[in-house]
Amino acid sequence: AIHPYLLVMVAVFNIILPLKCFLYKKIKLIQFVFYITIPFLLVILIWYGIGLIRFENNEALEVHNSYGLFSTNLNALLNAQGFSKFTPQLTFYKVNQYEGFSYLGFGFILLIVFIIFYKVIFWKKTANIKLDKSKILFIIAVLFLTLFAITNQVTFNDKLLFEIPLPENVLKIGNIFRASGRFIWVFYYSILLFTLIYFSKLKINKYIQITILTLTLGLQLY
């Protein structure tokens, strides 16, 4: 009831979590079906109750030709859109791409650069990245939402790199979520959380870690 975009992002994980439990035989098939069906029906009921959807008319939910208009530019993680004193405002292919705002922040950018250099210099002392099979569904979900945010018109700065033709039915689904760029938020927060978790596992002095994180926070707030 807060916002359809947020609900869809949560709904994706509401599907993959019980699916993972089912694949690992932690729940039965009937439980899996229950966990994904009941919330969906409740959402439809609540949306109908608050007037978000109606069944008695033929009005379409989509906003015609809107998919790709408010997309995420590939420069989004580095584009502060004028909100940073450290990095310049990058250009857009379409002015509407402000909806894909997902600037990492200068502090976090430096933290990621530090981790990369530390990984290169102290290879044996860094945390090992292992692909946990239990995280595959999470990766697929994040990748799906990210691609949906970028849309079929892949852009970087003010350039259209390429456009992938999509069937009309797929475009109609995309048109329902006019500001598709917002779906980059899941990828954005995944990067922030993964960076913090990985940094916490580096084999360096804890006081140095705290100092670096404090500096990162200070730069982010500034």
Coordinates of all heavy atoms in Angstrom, one line a residue, residues 20 24 130-140:
K20 N 14.1 -21.3 -2.9 CA 15.4 -21.8 -2.4 C 15.2 -22.9 -1.4 O 15.8 -23.9 -1.4 CB 16.3 -20.7 -1.9 CG 17.7 -21.2 -1.5 CD 18.5 -20.1 -0.9 CE 18.0 -19.7 0.5 NZ 19.0 -18.8 1.2
Y24 N 16.1 -26.9 -1.7 CA 17.0 -27.5 -0.7 C 16.2 -28.4 0.3 O 16.7 -28.8 1.3 CB 17.7 -26.4 0.1 CG 18.9 -25.9 -0.6 CD1 18.8 -24.9 -1.6 CD2 20.2 -26.3 -0.3 CE1 19.9 -24.4 -2.3 CE2 21.3 -25.8 -1.0 CZ 21.2 -24.9 -2.0 OH 22.3 -24.4 -2.7
K130 N 33.7 -17.0 -2.9 CA 33.2 -18.3 -3.4 C 31.8 -18.2 -3.8 O 31.0 -17.6 -3.0 CB 33.4 -19.4 -2.3 CG 34.9 -19.7 -2.0 CD 35.0 -20.8 -0.9 CE 36.4 -21.1 -0.6 NZ 36.5 -22.2 0.4
L131 N 31.4 -18.7 -4.9 CA 30.0 -18.7 -5.4 C 29.2 -19.7 -4.6 O 29.3 -20.9 -4.9 CB 30.0 -18.9 -6.9 CG 28.6 -18.9 -7.5 CD1 27.9 -17.5 -7.2 CD2 28.6 -19.2 -9.0
D132 N 28.5 -19.3 -3.6 CA 27.6 -20.2 -2.9 C 26.4 -20.5 -3.7 O 25.7 -19.6 -4.1 CB 27.2 -19.5 -1.5 CG 26.5 -20.4 -0.6 OD1 26.1 -21.5 -1.1 OD2 26.3 -20.0 0.6
K133 N 26.1 -21.7 -3.9 CA 25.0 -22.1 -4.7 C 23.7 -21.6 -4.2 O 22.7 -21.4 -4.9 CB 24.9 -23.7 -4.9 CG 26.1 -24.2 -5.7 CD 25.8 -25.7 -6.1 CE 25.9 -26.6 -4.8 NZ 25.7 -28.0 -5.1
S134 N 23.6 -21.4 -2.9 CA 22.4 -20.9 -2.3 C 22.1 -19.5 -2.6 O 21.0 -19.0 -2.4 CB 22.4 -21.1 -0.7 OG 23.4 -20.2 -0.2
K135 N 23.1 -18.8 -3.2 CA 23.0 -17.4 -3.5 C 22.7 -17.2 -5.0 O 22.5 -16.1 -5.5 CB 24.2 -16.6 -3.2 CG 24.7 -16.7 -1.7 CD 23.6 -16.1 -0.8 CE 24.2 -16.0 0.6 NZ 24.5 -17.3 1.2
I136 N 22.6 -18.3 -5.8 CA 22.4 -18.2 -7.2 C 21.1 -17.5 -7.5 O 21.0 -16.6 -8.4 CB 22.5 -19.6 -7.9 CG1 24.0 -20.1 -7.8 CG2 22.1 -19.5 -9.3 CD1 24.2 -21.4 -8.4
L137 N 20.0 -17.9 -6.8 CA 18.7 -17.3 -7.1 C 18.7 -15.8 -6.7 O 18.1 -15.0 -7.4 CB 17.6 -18.0 -6.2 CG 17.3 -19.4 -6.6 CD1 16.3 -20.0 -5.6 CD2 16.7 -19.4 -8.0
F138 N 19.5 -15.4 -5.7 CA 19.6 -14.0 -5.3 C 20.3 -13.3 -6.5 O 19.8 -12.2 -6.9 CB 20.4 -13.9 -4.1 CG 20.8 -12.5 -3.7 CD1 19.9 -11.6 -3.2 CD2 22.1 -12.0 -4.0 CE1 20.3 -10.3 -2.9 CE2 22.5 -10.7 -3.7 CZ 21.5 -9.8 -3.2
I139 N 21.4 -13.8 -7.0 CA 22.1 -13.2 -8.1 C 21.2 -13.0 -9.3 O 21.2 -12.0 -10.0 CB 23.4 -14.0 -8.4 CG1 24.3 -14.0 -7.2 CG2 24.0 -13.4 -9.7 CD1 25.5 -14.9 -7.4
I140 N 20.4 -14.1 -9.6 CA 19.5 -14.0 -10.8 C 18.5 -13.0 -10.6 O 18.2 -12.2 -11.5 CB 18.9 -15.4 -11.0 CG1 19.9 -16.4 -11.4 CG2 17.8 -15.3 -12.1 CD1 19.4 -17.9 -11.5

